[in-house]
Amino acid sequence: MSCWRCTLLVSTAIPLASGLNLGPLSSAIQAYSHSLALHPIETKVATAAVLAVGGDALAQLRECEPYDTRRAASFVLFNSCYRGAFQHNAFPLIAKTFKGHALHNLLPSIPLNVCAAISCTAANQLVVVPVVYYPLFFAMTGAVQGLDFGASMRRAREKFLPLMKRSLVFWVPVQYVQFAYVAAEWQVPYICVWGLLWNVIVSVVAGRVECPVPVVQEERSLPAAAHASPAAEMRQWVEGVVRPTVQAMRRRKKGSDDDDALAEERRVRLLLERANGDAR
């Protein structure tokens, strides 16, 4: 019952606050209501985006990791498109289509307006959410966070059922109050306010993409000298340093010092032969 009372409180507080004298807050609500009347879709998209940032930021505060801007951007993009733009057009269509007559014929003791609210809630939660909401959510947030199609599908299969269960528990009472008591022009802002809390839940459950740790092929990345024996390293040093030095000496002493150069060459050659013998 506490959940239902809370939803009723939020549903009535936002529209009624515009008519109360609450100082600066009342002026802000009146300005928002005026913007909602003049620019309904733009105002709803902006509201969804701002509250999406807030919800994801609250979720990231509990995580011991740096702030993930790509994750926040994915939630802003999704909520702007779905909660701000799509629901602006979807809610009137749902209310116009599902008027509760079928349910009222089955259960005539239930008032028609209650049957209508139940029918609209069921249509949105059991049809729109699994068919539109979650496919769009996993596709858009996965793309912004750098997942390919296959990775997004695996993420959707893993997270869908846990999120769907939480969605039904959380949104059924919220949306029943929406369709039963909230004026049509305030329904999207009302859902956006509740969406702030829902975004925290979604961010915690499916927000951060676990990127696979790249496998480093250490054996291929290390230089060959790191695997060589000490004798082989000595041979490489002799061949890379001593031999060019001897060749330079031979070029300089060619002529008058031929005998000395030949002796030095024999000494270095003997050193190379010893190094080769140690390597074997």
Side-chain angles (χ1 to χ4, degrees), residues 96-110:
K96 182 179 179 180
T97 304
F98 299 94
K99 297 183 177 295
H101 293 294
L103 182 60
H104 185 65
N105 291 333
L106 292 174
L107 302 170
S109 60
I110 301 178

Side-chain angles (χ1 to χ4, degrees), residues 233-251:
E233 292 181 5
M234 180 179 178
R235 185 179 59 187
Q236 291 177 357
W237 180 81
V238 169
E239 291 179 351
V241 178
V242 177
R243 180 172 291 177
T245 304
V246 172
Q247 292 175 350
M249 291 172 58
R250 289 183 62 183
R251 287 193 297 269

Side-chain angles (χ1 to χ4, degrees), residues 32-94:
Y32 181 85
S33 180
H34 183 68
S35 176
L36 195 62
L38 293 181
H39 310 286
I41 189 167
E42 293 87 349
T43 304
K44 293 171 184 177
V45 168
T47 302
V50 170
L51 293 180
V53 172
D56 182 64
L58 290 175
Q60 294 200 42
L61 283 176
R62 63 184 297 275
E63 302 174 1
C64 299
E65 297 185 29
Y67 183 74
D68 191 341
T69 55
R70 295 185 67 179
R71 163 176 155 176
S74 69
F75 278 88
V76 170
L77 177 63
F78 169 74
N79 280 272
S80 299
C81 294
Y82 180 84
R83 206 175 299 286
F86 175 78
Q87 290 187 334
H88 168 77
N89 298 290
F91 286 159
L93 180 62
I94 291 173

Side-chain angles (χ1 to χ4, degrees), residues 17-37:
S18 60
L20 299 177
N21 185 12
L22 300 176
L25 180 60
S26 179
S27 300
I29 294 175
Q30 290 178 1
Y32 181 85
S33 180
H34 183 68
S35 176
L36 195 62

Side-chain angles (χ1 to χ4, degrees), residues 50 59 101 106 123 129 131 141 148 188 190 196 214 238 253 270:
V50 170
H101 293 294
L106 292 174
V129 169
V131 173
T141 58
D148 57 19
V188 170
Y190 164 80
L196 176 66
V238 169
K253 293 187 176 183
L270 179 61

Side-chain angles (χ1 to χ4, degrees), residues 204-272:
V204 170
V205 176
R208 191 176 297 273
V209 174
E210 292 83 4
C211 297
V213 178
V215 177
V216 180
Q217 297 181 350
E218 297 181 355
E219 294 295 323
R220 295 183 180 180
S221 62
L222 292 175
H227 302 283
S229 63
E233 292 181 5
M234 180 179 178
R235 185 179 59 187
Q236 291 177 357
W237 180 81
V238 169
E239 291 179 351
V241 178
V242 177
R243 180 172 291 177
T245 304
V246 172
Q247 292 175 350
M249 291 172 58
R250 289 183 62 183
R251 287 193 297 269
R252 287 198 304 268
K253 293 187 176 183
K254 187 177 181 179
S256 60
D257 298 328
D258 287 341
D259 294 337
D260 293 338
L262 291 173
E264 183 67 17
E265 183 179 4
R266 284 194 296 269
R267 187 181 67 82
V268 172
R269 188 175 299 167
L270 179 61
L271 181 61
L272 287 174

